[in-house]
Every structure is written in C-alpha cells, then in structure tokens.
C-alpha cells in the first residue's frame, strides 16, 4: 500500500526520492508526491496518478538542487485519490511537511479540534492533521523530535511517518507505530523508507524502527528514542538483498520472473534444514525443543488470501504427517470472534510481507491471550516477524508482483518441514520421514519440469481466456490448491473464478455447468483418484469443458485438456499442482492484456483494515 521515501545528504534529493518511489510502486498506490527543502523553502509537487506522472510534473518546474526531502505514494483511505489528498501535507505556514502510512483512527476528532481553533484544512486526509499538530507543538518544544512526540501523544491509530521542518535544513524526524519504517545508513547520507526495496540500491546497512520509536536523521547519522523520550540504541544490520533482486532481469514482468525463480527459492528454503540421518527437518528459528514440540496438541495456521490457502495446505500436511489436529483460518476474522486461545495449540502466522495488518492483529490478539505463536514470514525485520519473535523464514527472496507465487510455494514447503518435524517427534517412522525428505529435496527439479510446460499451458489459456466464469475443484489435498488457483485467476485476470470441494458440486453448483463454464479439476494420483474421475464425468455429462491438472494416467478423452505435473510424494502433491495454476492464470491475464504485476484495486502489502 502506501510507500515512503526520505533522503538527507549531499546528493540532489528529488531524483533519489522519485527513484525510491518507483521501487515502491509494486505495493499499489493511486497518487504520489514529493517535498524538498532548499534555502528555507519547502517545495511540494504532487499528483493523482502514477510516479511517472509525478516525474512529468516535476519536469515542468526548474530543477531544484535541494539535498533533503520526503516522498510518498498514497493508497487512498481518507478521501478520494486526488492532487489535494496526495502527500506530503503541510501546515498552514508551510513550515512542516509530513508523509504518513497507516490510519489515524481519531482523525475526525483531531480535524474537528483543529477546525475549532481556526485552522483551515485543505485536504480530507488524516495526515494533514498531523502537520498542523506538529507545527502547533513547535513553540513549546526543544526540538522537532519533541514536537513530533508531543503531537503523537494525541494520536490513536497506526503510523509510519517522516517529517521535514523548513527551519532545520538537513534533518528528518521519523516515527513508527504499526507501519514499517526503516533507516538506510549511507556514507555521509541517510535514507528513510517504508520498505527496504527503496534503499538497497544505495545501502544494505539498515535500522528497523520498533513500534513506539522515533528517530532523528541527519546526513552524519541518526539517534533513536521512544515516544516516552527514552533513548534507545540501535545498531545497523546488513540486509542480504541485492539491488538486482528488484530488477526484471530480462523477464517481461515480475510475476513471470518470480514463477521462474521457484526452483531456486525452494532450494534456498530447504538448504541446511533437511536431515537424512534422523529423517527429519531442522527449523532452529522455531525455538521449540523436542519436549515442546511433543507438547503441541493442535496446530492452527492464520493468514490472509493466498497465505491462508497455504495454511490450509499446511494443516493437511500436519494432520497427515504428524497425526495431530490442524486447521487454517483467515487471520482477518480471527480477532473479531473473541477466539478461544488454547495453550496447547501452536499458532502459525503466515505472511509474505510480514506487514499484513489483519495477520499482525491476529498475532497481537494471540499474544495478549497468552497463545504460542510463531511466524512463517518472508521479509526479515517485518512487523509480523518481529511480533512473533520466532518462526521460520521463507527465504523466497523479494516478491514484487502483487500475485504471490514463489512465497506461497515456500510457505507450503516450510509447512511440509514443520509437519515432518512434528511427525518425527511422534509416530512418523524413519522410513516415512526419509521418503518425505527425499521428496522435498526433489522438488526444485520437479518444479522446473512443470515450468518447462509453459507453452502447453499458454495454448490452453488461449482457448479459455474469454470464459466469463470458471470453477476450480479439488478434494482434500486438492481443495486448497483449487482455492489458490481460483484466487490467482481472479486477482490478475479479473475472470470470475470460484473454488469448490469437488464433492460439493452436486449439492448446488452443478446447476451452473454448461458449455460456457469451464472447470479446472485437480486430480492427484492418490486414494481419491476414482472420485475425481467421477467428478469430471459428471461435468462432462452436462456439457462442461474440463481442464484436468494431474500426475495420474487419466482415461483417454476424459478431460478436454490435461496439464501434467510430475509424480512425487503424495503429501507434497499440492506444491506441484499449484504451479500450473499460476501459469494458467498468468497466461489468461496476458491474453486479456491485463497489467499483471499491478492488478486493479489491489496492493502487495495490505497494511489497512
Ligand atoms: C496473493 O496472490 C495475494 N496478493 C494476497 O492474497 C496475499 O497473499 C495476502 O494479501 C496476504 O499477504 P501477505 O502474505 O503479505 O500477508
């Protein structure tokens, strides 16, 4: 969602800021803006639309050699996307400029209070109130940081923010509560961003702020403190990300690149974690010894969207391999149903970004009630990773496309290792464990084989791209795969897709089957093969086209199209079956001319409710 970039140093700030915004575009936004400070004047340029529109607008004015500034991409929450509502926002005097991610929950009261004091608000945003409030605190404050701290005492809600003061020529003040902020430490220059993607071109030395923390940043360094004005001490850490992790590297778009990276991403997730000798997995980050693992009586996975479906795949794996009850639940619902938190349950919070607000809130609810929660997170240093404190990093590498592919695959691979580990401290035999270890190790090569079938999937996609609706059907292991397949198609192609448990078809949805309703049926070669063949026959008998995704030998002519995946260990079938569905969604979206990496209305990280 919204993105923040800040710079103070010796370079011309505007190009640094605009380039940073470009790198945050993948997060989703609808307007962009920049404010730079030179000779006591804050120059603001902003526009509804894309970063390229902002660049065009900047090109209309004379170049500004300012060396300090802040910039923002906004995803509208309070007020429509417009030039007026775009950030940065200023106070009445034009002294303070603010960019802000998150939501100020008491914005209405704060705005009303300001209006009663005679302040004229020029936007509909919550953020503008912050600019006026900080400006009002300056008179009584010793520093900009103190003024920001004083203003934030009146604020309820979430924020990651950066503040610029006309009278402090090379200083930025930064604060965080619930919305990520990271400082980038350069040589005689400092960067600020809401996401390391905007920084890694300049520096890999970063400082992640904690919730309730502020920082004052100037070209020579930074100092951090809490909202209560206690100094904190933060050393920079080095992020293992390279600038070209965020480049297309010859691919047409990021989704294509990230699908292609799956074999190497899976290999990375497995590296050093498989143990042949004891036929198990090592997940040191869990912080659970064998006794603690044995004490787990139930596992609950929590995530949103695709992460939730990955959790469903994880629950199936845990039940199959460890024989303990497991299920998955959308994290977005969790905190609102006053959940019964069970001390013997291991809760797993799943998130690629580590920023999804609903998942973070579920973790906080769990921790408040004394639940044991671990993270399955891709982004190191992210809010969910830090809130959980322990867990398993996905090691998928940066994922830029809104549609999650390699991170989702690595989630399921990580859950297979977790299930194996839980199984091996119980009754899963060494032989069965070794079979899973071997199957996991073979995954990168098998995924490579599925990806090599790209052209065949493209042909099928072309034939069905103009369908208005599609069903995705699966049983047990195939059911979360069907849900994920439908999700991928919906989000990037805008084709209406619905997933059903195959056996549910005859209880209602079968009425929708006709020649214009293609069904994608997941047919793993497992105990339910005959049942899935029966489902296909029921659809065919009613004239419905069928695309079967399978590793089984199906009767000739049963399905209209067959997309094949290699045979592996049956428990791991969902991982392989998911990949052709990514390709199918991708090629349908491409055929329909969609903006694949940036589907309409969606954001990569959903940091609002
Ligand atoms: C996946 O393709 C979607 N873009 C979306 O459902 C996503 O998985 C969800 O928003 C959760 O994101 P997270 O993994 O970053 O928490």
């Amino acid at each position: 969602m919204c993105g923040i970039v800040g710079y103070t140093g010796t370079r011309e700030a505007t190009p640094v800021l605009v380039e940073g915004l470009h790198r945050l575009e993948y997060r989703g936004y609808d307007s962009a803006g920049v404010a730079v400070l030179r000779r006591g004047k804050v120059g603001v340029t902003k526009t509804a639309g894309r970063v390229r529109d902002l660049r065009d607008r900047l090109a209309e004015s004379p170049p500004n050699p300012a060396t300090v500034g802040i910039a923002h991409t906004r995803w509208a929450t309070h007020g429509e996307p417009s030039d007026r509502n775009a950030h940065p926002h200023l106070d009445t005097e034009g002294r303070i400029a603010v960019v802000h991610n998150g939501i100020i929950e008491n914005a209405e009261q704060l705005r009303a209070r300001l209006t009663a004091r005679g302040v004229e608000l020029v936007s509909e945003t919550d953020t503008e109130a912050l600019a006026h409030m900080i400006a009002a605190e300056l008179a009584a404050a010793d520093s900009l940081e103190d003024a920001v701290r004083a203003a934030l005492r009146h604020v309820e809600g979430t924020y990651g923010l950066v503040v610029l003061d006309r009278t402090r020529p090379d200083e930025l003040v930064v604060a965080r509560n619930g919305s990520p902020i990271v400082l980038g430490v350069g040589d005689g220059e400092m960067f600020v961003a809401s996401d390391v993607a905007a920084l890694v071109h300049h520096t890999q030395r970063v400082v992640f702020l904690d919730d309730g923390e502020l920082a004052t940043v100037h070209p020579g360094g930074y100092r951090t403190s809490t909202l209560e004005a206690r100094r904190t001490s933060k050393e920079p850490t080095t992020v293992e990300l390279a600038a070209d992790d965020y480049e297309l590297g010859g691919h047409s778009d990021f989704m294509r690149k990230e699908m292609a990276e799956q074999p190497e991403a899976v290999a990375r997730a497995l590296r050093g974690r498989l143990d042949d000798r004891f036929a198990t997995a090592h997940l040191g980050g869990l912080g659970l010894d064998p006794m603690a693992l044995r004490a787990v009586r139930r596992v609950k996975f929590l995530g949103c969207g695709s992460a939730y479906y990955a959790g469903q795949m994880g629950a199936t794996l845990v039940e199959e391999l460890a024989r303990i009850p497991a299920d998955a639940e959308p994290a977005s619902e969790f905190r609102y149903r006053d959940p019964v938190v069970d001390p013997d349950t291991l809760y797993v919070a799943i998130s690629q970004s580590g920023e999804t607000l609903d998942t973070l809130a579920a973790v906080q609810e769990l921790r408040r009630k004394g639940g044991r929660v671990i993270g399955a997170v891709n982004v190191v240093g992210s809010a969910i990773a830090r809130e959980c404190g322990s867990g398993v990093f996905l090691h998928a590498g940066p994922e830029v496309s809104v549609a999650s592919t390699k991170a989702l695959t690595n989630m399921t691979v990580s859950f297979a290792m977790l299930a194996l580990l839980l199984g091996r401290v119980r009754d899963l035999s060494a032989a069965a464990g070794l079979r899973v270890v071997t199957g996991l190790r073979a995954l990168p090569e098998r995924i490579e084989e599925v990806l090599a079938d790209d052209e065949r999937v493209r042909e099928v996609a072309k034939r069905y791209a103009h369908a208005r609706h599609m069903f995705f059907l699966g049983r047990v292991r195939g059911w979360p795969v069907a849900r994920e397949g439908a999700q991928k198609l919906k989000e990037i192609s805008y084709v209406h897709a619905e997933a059903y448990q195959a056996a549910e078809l005859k209880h209602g949805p079968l009425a929708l089957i006709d020649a214009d309703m293609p069904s994608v049926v997941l047919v793993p070669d497992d105990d339910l093969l005959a049942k899935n063949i029966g489902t296909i026959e029921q659809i065919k008998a009613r004239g419905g086209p069928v695309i079967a995704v399978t590793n089984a030998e199906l009767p000739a002519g049963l399905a209209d199209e067959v997309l094949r995946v290699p045979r592996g260990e049956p428990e791991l079938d969902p991982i392989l079956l998911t990949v052709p569905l990514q390709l199918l969604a991708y090629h349908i979206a491409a055929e329909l001319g969609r903006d694949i990496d940036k589907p309409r209305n969606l954001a990569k990280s959903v940091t609002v409710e």
Side-chain angles (χ1 to χ4, degrees):
M1 297 200 140
C2 308
I4 285 178
V5 190
Y7 176 76
T8 176
T10 50
R11 291 192 242 182
E12 199 180 315
T14 306
V16 175
L17 296 168
V18 173
E19 191 236 30
L21 291 185
H22 263 305
R23 296 189 184 279
L24 298 183
E25 281 194 284
Y26 78 96
R27 299 169 63 90
Y29 69 102
D30 44 47
S31 54
V34 57
V36 291
L37 171 61
R38 176 151 167 88
R39 296 207 178 114
K41 274 183 86 173
V42 179
V44 177
T45 309
K46 49 192 196 173
T47 179
R50 315 300 293 175
V51 175
R52 64 170 174 268
D53 302 317
L54 176 67
R55 200 189 281 272
D56 292 348
R57 194 160 280 192
L58 284 161
E60 289 162 12
S61 335
N64 185 335
T67 56
V68 58
I70 58 180
H72 193 259
T73 45
R74 171 177 187 253
W75 194 86
T77 54
H78 293 66
E80 55 169 11
S82 64
D83 291 8
R84 206 161 42 87
N85 288 332
H87 301 206
H89 287 285
L90 301 178
D91 70 306
T92 314
E93 302 293 310
R95 172 171 176 182
I96 293 293
V98 179
V99 290
H100 160 234
N101 288 357
I103 292 188
I104 307 297
E105 276 156 18
N106 59 340
E108 277 319 306
Q109 288 113 286
L110 298 176
R111 286 174 60 93
R113 232 178 275 164
L114 288 163
T115 312
R117 269 198 254 140
V119 174
E120 199 184 322
L121 295 160
V122 296
S123 77
E124 298 153 83
T125 64
D126 49 351
T127 306
E128 188 191 346
L130 291 175
H132 295 288
M133 287 161 62
I134 294 166
E137 298 288 351
L138 277 168
D142 292 337
S143 64
L144 177 60
E145 186 178 305
D146 280 343
V148 172
R149 186 178 284 114
L152 289 178
R153 288 204 184 102
H154 304 285
V155 167
E156 289 162 25
T158 56
Y159 49 80
L161 58 93
V162 192
V163 184
L164 180 73
D165 175 357
R166 189 171 71 185
T167 69
R168 290 170 170 85
D170 62 0
E171 186 176 291
L172 298 173
V173 170
V174 181
R176 172 195 164 132
N177 184 44
S179 277
I181 282 284
V182 55
L183 313 181
V185 183
D187 193 6
E189 56 185 355
M190 286 288 297
F191 305 84
V192 180
S194 51
D195 181 328
V196 288
L199 303 176
V200 287
H201 264 67
H202 304 293
T203 178
Q204 284 165 279
R205 295 180 68 225
V206 301
V207 177
F208 294 102
L209 288 196
D210 285 314
D211 280 346
E213 210 166 23
L214 292 94
T216 296
V217 174
H218 51 86
Y222 61 92
R223 60 169 191 272
T224 54
S225 62
T226 64
L227 270 180
E228 295 75 37
R230 245 184 316 102
R231 284 268 165 263
T232 55
S233 143
K234 294 290 264 289
E235 285 303 312
T237 52
T238 302
V239 285
E240 286 168 19
L241 296 172
D244 56 6
D245 286 339
Y246 294 93
E247 305 288 352
L248 283 170
H251 292 273
S252 50
D253 46 73
F254 281 102
M255 182 170 175
R256 194 147 187 80
K257 177 183 184 232
E258 288 156 10
M259 288 191 295
E261 284 171 347
Q262 289 178 106
E264 89 190 63
V266 170
R268 213 165 31 236
L270 296 174
R271 198 163 297 142
R273 286 170 162 175
L274 294 179
D275 178 337
D276 293 276
R277 183 165 166 231
F278 292 109
T280 188
H282 293 294
L283 298 172
L286 296 184
L288 298 173
D289 64 19
M291 291 290 283
L293 289 167
R294 277 197 66 110
V296 172
R297 287 176 174 270
R298 176 180 281 274
V299 181
K300 184 182 269 295
F301 293 88
L302 292 157
C304 296
S306 290
Y308 161 50
Y309 304 139
Q312 241 196 319
M313 296 183 210
T316 308
L317 279 156
V318 168
E319 292 209 340
E320 287 186 316
L321 297 178
R323 304 303 298 151
I324 48 176
D327 68 347
E329 179 175 336
S332 42
E333 290 275 291
F334 189 71
R335 65 192 183 282
Y336 293 122
R337 62 174 187 80
D338 194 14
V340 176
V341 171
D342 167 23
D344 298 327
T345 296
L346 178 66
Y347 295 88
V348 185
I350 316 159
S351 179
Q352 186 288 127
S353 60
E355 285 178 31
T356 303
L357 185 83
D358 286 328
T359 310
L360 179 62
V363 172
Q364 287 164 343
E365 174 76 358
L366 279 165
R367 285 171 56 87
R368 189 179 68 77
K369 290 185 167 172
R372 183 167 25 172
V373 54
I374 61 168
V377 175
N378 197 34
V379 178
V380 177
S382 60
I384 295 171
R386 282 165 347 131
E387 186 77 38
C388 290
S390 63
V392 40
F393 280 116
L394 303 176
H395 296 304
E399 196 179 66
V400 172
S401 179
V402 164
S404 186
T405 53
K406 60 176 182 170
L408 178 97
T409 297
N410 276 21
M411 287 170 191
T412 320
V413 168
S414 304
F415 301 152
M417 289 190 281
L418 176 65
L420 173 64
L421 178 61
L422 287 166
R424 287 291 291 134
V425 296
R426 292 181 173 75
D427 299 327
L428 188 73
S429 71
L434 200 54
R435 186 174 60 71
V436 176
V437 168
T438 311
L440 281 166
R441 200 168 274 132
L443 274 176
E445 208 175 304
R446 290 182 178 146
I447 294 174
E448 203 80 73
E449 275 181 57
V450 182
L451 292 170
D453 222 11
D454 184 61
E455 192 45 40
R456 161 90 187 116
V457 183
R458 199 171 70 87
E459 281 166 23
V460 173
K462 267 183 115 143
R463 278 200 278 283
Y464 293 89
H466 297 283
R468 297 195 52 209
H469 314 274
M470 271 199 202
F471 272 149
F472 284 74
L473 306 167
R475 281 185 162 78
V476 188
R477 289 184 189 129
W479 161 229
V481 180
R483 298 184 88 182
E484 168 56 14
Q487 158 98 340
K488 214 89 300 168
L489 184 64
K490 277 183 266 207
E491 78 179 319
I492 59 167
S493 73
Y494 322 148
V495 172
H496 171 226
E498 270 199 77
Y500 276 99
Q501 284 118 323
E504 282 291 306
L505 201 59
K506 58 187 179 296
H507 296 293
L510 198 58
L512 292 170
I513 296 288
D514 63 15
D516 297 323
M517 173 65 95
S519 298
V520 177
V521 187
L522 281 311
V523 194
D525 192 0
D526 61 15
D527 297 348
L528 298 170
L529 177 60
K531 304 269 180 216
N532 285 320
I533 290 177
T535 298
I536 296 178
E537 281 164 346
Q538 285 174 12
I539 298 168
K540 292 302 300 172
R542 284 148 186 94
V546 170
I547 304 166
V549 184
T550 188
N551 53 6
E553 287 309 322
L554 299 184
L558 177 75
D560 298 270
E561 316 285 349
V562 178
L563 301 178
R564 301 206 59 81
V565 303
R567 219 177 271 268
E569 298 313 317
E571 296 88 344
L572 306 178
D573 281 348
I575 301 169
L576 292 176
L577 290 167
T578 302
V579 180
L581 301 190
Q582 299 168 349
L583 295 173
L584 186 68
Y586 177 87
H587 286 301
I588 290 179
E591 186 64 25
L592 296 173
R594 307 300 190 217
D595 184 351
I596 292 185
D597 285 337
K598 298 187 200 91
R600 68 184 180 199
N601 307 335
L602 298 182
K604 181 65 179 162
S605 306
V606 186
T607 51
V608 296
E609 284 222 51

